[in-house]
Amino acid sequence: SAVISQKPSRDICQRGTSLTIQCQVDSQVTMMFWYRQQPGQSLTLIATANQGSEATYESGFVIDKFPISRPNLTFSTLTVSNMSPEDSSIYLCSVEDRGGRGEQYFGPGTRLTVT
Amino acid sequence: LAKTTQPISMDSYEGQEVNITCSHNNIATNDYITWYQQFPSQGPRFIIQGYKTKVTNEVASLFIPADRKSSTLSLPRVSLSDTAVYYCLVGSSYSGYSTLTFGKGTMLLVSP
């Protein structure tokens, strides 16, 4: 299984600023995913990122607010833009293994607090 | 979109077998059933995946009836360290990545 790391592990940011979260995988993967998990809640898919193409966003999430980069097969970034306290959450990236079946491996998450 | 329904919580004691059932009435032909475990402050961890019948690995077993409208995760002889939230996912890239939607999960509490 792939090993995924995220940076930063946590951050406290002021409203109106932006934070870029990095996701690094130890092997080449086609699909990467970004999720949000609010305290005590389940995970919500933000977008899927395929290398070499624009990210695909889920309903309720837009590129202007959550721009995603996927420059190569082992790396992706998610930016949370113009943050508000409602963006306080854990952001997780994951990768798909065994193509197509939905078997994912997750990073440890980035805990974001917006004040 | 195959929605899943699981019990919100379950309690067990060390050494017991725990069975968590997930209902997914609208499962599509191409969908797989995948279970994850999540500890506090960690990302979910893949446990097991299946399409039909029974799958077993070193951690758990997954039972899927012929109609595939439900599945049961079986954890043999649980320990305190199995206390976690367990999520059932149904979907696949063939059905669209949006189908890989996490439900509310089941909070399993294992007591001594």
Side-chain angles (χ1 to χ4, degrees):
Chain A
S1 62
V3 177
I4 301 131
S5 60
Q6 287 184 233
K7 289 182 180 179
S9 58
R10 60 178 61 222
D11 206 342
I12 300 173
C13 302
Q14 292 189 343
R15 70 169 66 213
T17 63
S18 298
L19 176 71
T20 295
I21 302 167
Q22 300 179 6
C23 180
Q24 180 74 53
V25 189
D26 70 341
S27 59
Q28 294 185 340
V29 295
T30 302
M31 296 302 299
M32 296 180 75
F33 307 88
W34 286 98
Y35 287 85
R36 180 173 73 183
Q37 185 172 30
Q38 295 178 312
Q41 303 297 314
S42 183
L43 287 80
T44 301
L45 181 62
I46 297 172
T48 59
N50 192 355
Q51 193 269 335
S53 62
E54 294 287 328
T56 301
Y57 290 82
E58 297 302 305
S59 176
F61 298 97
V62 294
I63 187 171
D64 290 345
K65 175 67 175 178
F66 298 100
I68 289 171
S69 77
R70 182 78 202 276
N72 57 51
L73 292 173
T74 62
F75 188 78
S76 178
T77 66
L78 169 75
T79 298
V80 186
S81 304
N82 187 25
M83 289 184 284
S84 67
E86 292 71 35
D87 295 319
S88 296
S89 190
I90 298 173
Y91 292 85
L92 299 119
C93 72
S94 72
V95 303
E96 182 184 43
D97 197 3
R98 292 210 293 169
R101 299 185 183 184
E103 180 177 337
Q104 297 180 59
Y105 294 88
F106 285 81
T110 296
R111 182 180 294 272
L112 170 62
T113 302
V114 183
T115 60
Chain B
L1 204 65
K3 181 180 177 181
T4 59
T5 303
Q6 304 173 231
I8 296 297
S9 63
M10 294 183 68
D11 295 324
S12 182
Y13 293 98
E14 281 190 294
Q16 289 188 333
E17 178 184 74
V18 172
N19 296 307
I20 305 175
T21 297
C22 179
S23 173
H24 30 80
N25 292 319
N26 296 324
I27 188 169
T29 302
N30 293 323
D31 289 345
Y32 285 78
I33 301 159
T34 311
W35 285 81
Y36 295 87
Q37 174 192 56
Q38 187 178 29
F39 299 112
S41 301
Q42 294 186 24
R45 181 177 76 100
F46 171 84
I47 301 175
I48 197 167
Q49 183 181 74
Y51 184 79
K52 61 181 179 181
T53 63
K54 176 184 175 182
V55 179
T56 298
N57 62 21
E58 64 278 6
V59 176
S61 294
L62 179 60
F63 299 91
I64 305 168
D67 66 5
R68 303 201 327 123
K69 293 181 183 294
S70 67
S71 58
T72 298
L73 175 72
S74 181
L75 304 172
R77 297 180 298 282
V78 294
S79 64
L80 298 178
S81 62
D82 292 316
T83 293
V85 178
Y86 292 82
Y87 293 99
C88 159
L89 258 76
V90 173
S92 72
S93 65
Y94 309 109
S95 298
Y97 286 107
S98 298
T99 63
L100 298 174
T101 302
F102 282 78
K104 297 183 184 301
T106 298
M107 176 63 218
L108 173 65
L109 176 62
V110 181
S111 301

